[in-house]
Amino acid sequence: MELAVEMRNITKTYPENNLRANDGIDFSLRKGEILCLAGENGAGKTTLMKVLYGLESHEKGTIRIRGNQENISSPLVANRLGIGMVHQHFMLVEDFTVAQNVVMGIEPRKYGIAYDLKKAVSLVNEAIAHHHFSIEADMLVRNLTVGQKQQVEIIKMLYRDVDILILDEPTTVLTELEIEALFSSLKQLAKRGKSLILITHKLKEIIAISDRVVVMRQGKMLGTYETKDVNEQQISALMMGKSISLSIKHAKRTDESQPVIECKKITVLRQGQERPLLKDLNFTAYSGEILGFAGVSGNGLGVLEAVLGGFIPVFDGKILHDGNDITNIGTAQLRRQGLAYVPSDRLQIGSSLKASVQENIIVGESRSFRKNGFIDQRQVTKHTNDLLEKYSTKGTAQMPIGTMSGGNIQKVILAREIERYQDYIVFSEPTWGLDIASSQFVYEQMASLRDKGAAVILISSNLDEILTISDRIIVLYRGTRVASFVGDEARNLSKEEIGEYMLGIRKQGASHV
Amino acid sequence: MQFTIPMLHSAITIMTPLLLASMGGLFTELSGMLNIALEGLLLMGAFCSIIFSYYTASMILGTLLGIVCTMILSAILASVTLNLKANVFITGLAVNLFASGMTVVLSFALFANKGVVVFDNIPPLPLLGTPELAKIPILGDIFIGHSAFVYLSWLLLALCYFVLYRTPFGFRIRATGLHPEALSSLGMRPNRYRFASFLISGFTCGLGGALLTLNLGAFVPNITAGKGWIALVVIFLGNKKPIGLLIAAFIFGLADAFSNYAQGALNIPSDFILAIPYIFTLLAMIGSSIYANKKGAIES
């Protein structure tokens, strides 16, 4: 069969962290097929596609497009070769119409210099009709739904006569109905001879749409399969891989356990998006317990973090802390009432990179270091040095925190948050990007907090982590709770099993919740 | 009030440099750069136009050369800001300081005079209009009998509208300010459009500056007296729309003209009267931001 794309031995290393995002990848795309590129976060899927689209360079390997070896140095070259990419974040000018967005860069003209706005509308309407999309060229992009905006992005590429189309996680923001509409459009396109690549980690979608599936894990290619020959469980097992064993003792909920944080039917909506980000989520975090939230990204973990951190308001429902209503009181108020929080984004939210380590340590707590109305620097430095030693962190109190390694930055944040914690603490992706030793350290700290009676909430898309240290596990899928596991049930859970819940293949009955 | 008509007439002359500078500033603003260098560019245009007019003994040639000098300065500003990625606020400030210092230095070097330099070979600007047109009641008195700069600025305003809203170039300029990644993801370079906007700023400021000095037949140090800054206010007050610029610039021209006439007619300390346009700027800015806040509150 004719190959649209053939990538051989592609190797790409990010110099900043020496991470090998693509390690000798062989990849091929047949003409007229829909291929899914599957893998967990950080598997290297997007990197590989950015190489193909000319957004990233690669050290080794060759790329052939329709049999000819090409050097794709920019998106412009990619477009010329008929390769288009629909990015996860829309590249649209909200104040322009659909037509104006679609033709940008290749606008129809009249009298040599003037923009033929009418012709743009009619040309784009033709393209829309040709591909059976449901938008109109003279609509303002601002007024479109998320699904319609995505159609604009696809039309934008088709208008450029692209015949190899890459879509990066196209369904993340769509409702079920919008996904169906998108898939039927994509199938139409494939029938007309376009070759499509979908980056995704959603098994149901892989099965529903693809002809073949390519699985990647940790920068390596695991294999290419005909979709009809594999089932969801097999793909899931390939994507998740083997677990690393870390030993952490588990705790049982006792009679002394008190509810600390209670979330009652919380729902979070985003403007202009039909599907709620979180829907009717119920849970209680008890003292002396690590409550783990598992899910694939885009299914509500990040939203839950933002809700607990006070960054986004809930639309409906209640959050109680020790029985007091703390719904929508904002981050500052939450902090005052005892929120301790290790955010997933440790560089933007968790720390101020240009500020020194000690400034990062006392931020929000400077009141307790005041002497005669001024901050007592000597006391701050002493306090910081004590913490650095206690958490075996390499570095000095005065150095800007941004010059530390990722693991050490995380330790500083951890030190600050554990020091201020009162009765509950939220960890979001606490070991993301950390090596095994640092991860082990973080887990030990979490376990010791739990043993001291803290209610520990862990939000993580890392399955090993969830299974290793959680005493209780709740699985989120598309913003709702689809499963929960307590005690032995949680301990004996296999990755494959929980993976099926995370990917929406299985769902527990209402009685279990 | 018997001075209403002459005051309106002079408001139109006074508003023209503001209108021109704000048009150029509109381009940089829409491309996503706050161009605080308008003041310095205007001053550069004012100085270069009159000395070239003096040396070439031609106001047209002098104005053209003045515009070229101003565009060179704005090109330097653009390349330092865009290519070397310097902060646009700092580079703009540098242009302003450079222009105010350099014009005085050059004026001293050329004419041994740090103060007002009067050029006697420069005739007053010819005023356009026929006696028939001038006879039209009120309108004729207000709109006829201005220099070519005034009518040219109106033509340029129409051109400005056409370019921004009826050409691919204008759409790309606006897209650059609204979502630069939308352009770069299609293989276009947003910085090219920003560079072009800076050049357009240089052009209109050169022209606006020329009117300031040629109208007077003399160069006065710091002759712009904050007009470049007010032009920035005009852009925001005019809601970043060409027609809005015209209205906002006219209001400021009127405030300025009023202070000129009021000095002779009203019994108010002249310092206070001279401050009227600036006080007005402040009030206009406060008013428009209150309005914008209210509007924003309703929309969200």
Side-chain angles (χ1 to χ4, degrees):
Chain A
M1 189 177 279
E2 197 184 339
L3 288 181
V5 176
E6 196 182 4
M7 297 171 90
R8 284 257 163 271
N9 196 24
I10 299 293
T11 300
K12 160 84 193 170
T13 312
Y14 284 107
E16 303 90 60
N17 47 14
N18 218 15
L19 187 79
R20 188 161 280 196
N22 283 170
D23 192 356
I25 303 286
D26 292 329
F27 172 92
S28 65
L29 175 71
R30 294 175 189 155
K31 199 173 173 321
E33 79 168 338
I34 300 178
L35 181 130
C36 279
L37 188 51
E40 285 193 292
N41 295 326
K45 305 168 297 213
T46 303
T47 304
L48 185 67
M49 288 303 106
K50 281 185 172 171
V51 167
L52 178 58
Y53 192 57
L55 284 167
E56 296 275 8
S57 60
H58 56 285
E59 296 106 58
K60 268 200 277 180
T62 54
I63 304 176
R64 286 172 185 278
I65 306 296
R66 287 177 221 93
N68 305 316
Q69 188 163 336
E70 305 283 357
N71 174 22
I72 305 174
S73 54
S74 85
L76 216 55
V77 177
N79 278 169
R80 203 160 53 230
L81 292 167
I83 305 171
M85 183 158 176
V86 174
H87 299 267
Q88 210 175 345
H89 306 284
F90 298 143
M91 300 290 180
L92 297 171
V93 182
E94 298 260 314
D95 288 331
F96 286 6
T97 65
V98 171
Q100 287 158 5
N101 269 288
V102 169
V103 302
M104 194 149 61
I106 42 173
E107 299 89 347
R109 293 168 192 245
K110 55 184 177 186
Y111 322 122
I113 53 157
Y115 189 153
D116 195 338
L117 292 163
K118 279 190 192 136
K119 195 166 173 204
V121 170
S122 67
L123 284 174
V124 172
N125 266 333
E126 264 171 47
I128 292 169
H130 185 71
H131 295 289
H132 308 290
F133 280 101
S134 66
I135 41 176
E136 273 166 46
D138 52 4
M139 288 170 152
L140 206 60
V141 168
R142 179 176 297 291
N143 301 330
L144 301 181
T145 65
V146 180
Q148 289 173 318
K149 283 181 190 173
Q150 190 168 53
Q151 292 185 15
V152 181
E153 286 282 24
I154 295 172
I155 288 285
K156 194 158 93 180
M157 287 301 137
L158 296 176
Y159 186 80
R160 271 148 237 266
D161 279 333
V162 154
D163 56 16
I164 299 165
L165 189 59
I166 307 163
L167 297 109
D168 190 359
E169 313 243 356
T171 60
T172 315
V173 290
L174 303 185
T175 62
E176 293 290 350
L177 275 176
E178 286 170 332
I179 293 175
E180 266 175 45
L182 171 71
F183 280 5
S184 83
S185 309
L186 295 182
K187 281 179 179 161
Q188 282 282 334
L189 291 175
K191 233 177 244 165
R192 287 158 192 256
K194 311 262 181 204
S195 320
L196 305 168
I197 304 172
L198 264 73
I199 304 178
T200 183
H201 45 223
K202 299 186 182 161
L203 294 180
K204 225 167 62 180
E205 297 171 1
I206 297 174
I207 299 293
I209 191 160
S210 69
D211 299 310
R212 287 195 306 158
V213 52
V214 170
V215 184
M216 287 181 73
R217 176 161 26 99
Q218 290 171 355
K220 291 212 168 62
M221 164 84 132
L222 296 179
T224 307
Y225 308 89
E226 298 286 334
T227 308
K228 59 181 189 307
D229 298 340
V230 286
N231 60 28
E232 296 182 32
Q233 279 77 5
Q234 286 168 305
I235 304 173
S236 162
L238 280 167
M239 275 166 61
M240 302 294 174
K242 282 207 178 62
S243 41
I244 320 154
S245 61
L246 287 166
S247 58
I248 294 285
K249 274 203 201 107
H250 287 275
K252 268 209 180 96
R253 198 190 304 165
T254 62
D255 298 338
E256 285 158 34
S257 300
Q258 297 290 324
V260 179
I261 290 291
E262 294 170 78
C263 279
K264 300 191 163 167
K265 299 200 90 169
I266 53 172
T267 295
V268 177
L269 295 174
R270 186 198 285 163
Q271 248 185 341
Q273 194 171 318
E274 284 176 45
R275 203 184 94 205
L277 299 172
L278 284 181
K279 192 165 168 14
D280 294 338
L281 183 64
N282 274 315
F283 70 87
T284 305
Y286 291 91
S287 60
E289 178 192 61
I290 298 176
L291 170 59
F293 281 91
V296 176
S297 82
N299 283 289
L301 292 187
V303 185
L304 180 62
E305 178 191 347
V307 166
L308 292 172
F311 304 122
I312 56 171
V314 300
F315 176 76
D316 201 11
K318 257 193 170 29
I319 307 173
L320 304 178
H321 174 217
D322 297 335
N324 304 317
D325 191 347
I326 55 164
T327 321
N328 295 346
I329 59 173
T331 306
Q333 202 57 34
L334 278 174
R335 291 290 275 185
R336 235 166 275 146
Q337 305 211 357
L339 165 70
Y341 162 49
V342 179
S344 57
D345 187 348
R346 62 193 71 132
L347 305 184
Q348 299 289 330
I349 298 174
S351 61
S352 170
L353 290 181
K354 284 182 184 158
S356 69
V357 172
Q358 63 180 18
E359 283 162 346
N360 272 289
I361 284 283
I362 64 156
V363 67
E365 303 286 309
S366 57
R367 211 172 278 271
S368 31
F369 296 95
R370 248 180 241 174
K371 197 165 114 187
N372 309 326
F374 293 96
I375 289 175
D376 183 353
Q377 292 294 346
R378 210 177 301 163
Q379 200 198 333
V380 172
T381 308
K382 186 181 172 300
H383 175 71
T384 306
N385 284 330
D386 289 348
L387 286 181
L388 290 179
E389 201 187 313
K390 186 170 163 194
Y391 291 87
S392 53
T393 311
K394 290 191 196 87
T396 64
Q398 272 83 16
M399 71 197 274
I401 196 169
T403 58
M404 288 181 136
S405 73
N408 283 326
I409 293 177
Q410 186 71 334
K411 281 182 179 172
V412 171
I413 298 171
L414 219 61
R416 178 184 70 209
E417 298 303 318
I418 291 175
E419 284 304 302
R420 80 183 309 284
Y421 118 90
Q422 291 166 6
D423 57 356
Y424 81 106
I425 182 162
V426 178
F427 289 88
S428 183
E429 311 287 354
T431 61
W432 191 78
L434 300 192
D435 56 27
I436 307 269
S438 307
S439 304
Q440 180 74 29
F441 178 82
V442 173
Y443 297 147
E444 280 161 10
Q445 293 298 325
M446 289 170 78
S448 93
L449 280 168
R450 187 249 338 257
D451 296 341
K452 276 191 270 174
V456 179
I457 298 176
L458 166 68
I459 299 171
S460 173
S461 55
N462 179 342
L463 261 187
D464 290 315
E465 179 165 301
I466 287 286
L467 291 173
T468 311
I469 58 170
S470 310
D471 301 317
R472 192 152 60 93
I473 299 169
I474 292 176
V475 181
L476 296 185
Y477 176 69
R478 294 180 75 81
T480 57
R481 166 176 174 162
V482 290
S484 59
F485 307 94
V486 196
D488 290 334
E489 209 182 3
R491 221 136 305 143
N492 300 328
L493 205 56
S494 73
K495 275 180 97 171
E496 287 69 27
E497 196 178 345
I498 192 173
E500 287 169 12
Y501 287 105
M502 283 166 64
L503 294 156
I505 307 171
R506 278 170 67 177
K507 195 176 169 173
Q508 280 177 346
S511 62
H512 215 95
V513 179
Chain B
M1 295 222 276
Q2 74 280 15
F3 57 69
T4 307
I5 301 259
M7 194 174 83
L8 287 172
H9 188 269
S10 95
I12 284 176
T13 305
I14 293 168
M15 75 178 258
T16 302
L18 280 182
L19 182 62
L20 285 165
S22 63
M23 265 191 263
L26 180 63
F27 276 86
T28 40
E29 182 61 34
L30 289 178
S31 75
M33 308 296 261
L34 179 64
N35 187 356
I36 64 157
L38 294 177
E39 174 78 4
L41 295 174
L42 209 53
L43 186 57
M44 203 62 180
F47 179 77
C48 295
S49 303
I50 197 154
I51 59 165
F52 282 117
S53 298
Y54 171 73
Y55 285 121
T56 60
S58 154
M59 285 198 281
I60 293 177
L61 213 54
T63 303
L64 288 178
L65 286 169
I67 288 171
V68 169
C69 291
T70 316
M71 286 177 78
I72 290 171
L73 185 59
S74 70
I76 294 170
L77 166 67
S79 73
V80 172
T81 308
L82 301 173
N83 300 340
L84 305 180
K85 298 188 170 60
N87 182 315
V88 67
F89 206 80
I90 305 298
T91 52
L93 211 53
V95 166
N96 290 342
L97 293 171
F98 171 81
S100 80
M102 205 58 192
T103 48
V104 174
V105 168
L106 282 176
S107 149
F108 185 72
L110 297 171
F111 309 105
N113 186 348
K114 285 188 208 169
V116 178
V117 186
V118 181
F119 299 88
D120 14 357
N121 79 330
I122 293 183
L125 282 173
L127 304 178
L128 306 183
T130 60
E132 291 76 36
L133 284 173
K135 268 183 208 141
I136 305 169
I138 303 177
L139 292 181
D141 293 327
I142 297 172
F143 293 106
I144 304 304
H146 291 287
S147 67
F149 284 93
V150 172
Y151 303 112
L152 187 60
S153 76
W154 298 348
L155 281 179
L156 285 176
L157 189 71
L159 185 65
C160 171
Y161 177 85
F162 175 79
V163 169
L164 284 174
Y165 294 93
R166 292 288 180 272
T167 66
F169 175 74
F171 273 81
R172 292 178 198 176
I173 291 247
R174 290 191 289 137
T176 300
L178 292 167
H179 194 166
E181 292 82 12
L183 279 186
S184 50
S185 73
L186 293 171
M188 285 172 281
R189 271 173 278 165
N191 271 357
R192 277 181 56 180
Y193 295 94
R194 297 204 176 104
F195 199 98
S197 327
F198 273 113
L199 285 184
I200 293 169
S201 282
F203 174 82
T204 64
C205 286
L207 195 63
L211 172 59
L212 285 176
T213 41
L214 293 179
N215 199 29
L216 206 62
F219 178 76
V220 183
N222 196 24
I223 189 171
T224 48
K227 285 198 163 55
W229 296 105
I230 296 178
L232 268 186
V233 179
V234 165
I235 296 169
F236 286 92
L237 211 57
N239 206 13
K240 303 186 190 177
K241 299 261 164 34
I243 193 72
L245 298 187
L246 185 69
I247 296 165
F250 180 71
I251 293 171
F252 280 107
L254 205 58
D256 216 339
F258 175 76
S259 79
N260 288 344
Y261 279 84
Q263 277 182 78
L266 302 175
N267 192 15
I268 301 173
S270 64
D271 287 339
F272 179 73
I273 288 172
L274 286 174
I276 286 176
Y278 303 99
I279 293 168
F280 184 76
T281 309
L282 197 61
L283 292 177
M285 232 26 238
I286 294 168
S288 79
S289 69
I290 290 172
Y291 173 73
N293 275 342
K294 269 199 183 144
K295 208 174 134 201
I298 290 164
E299 275 172 8
S300 66

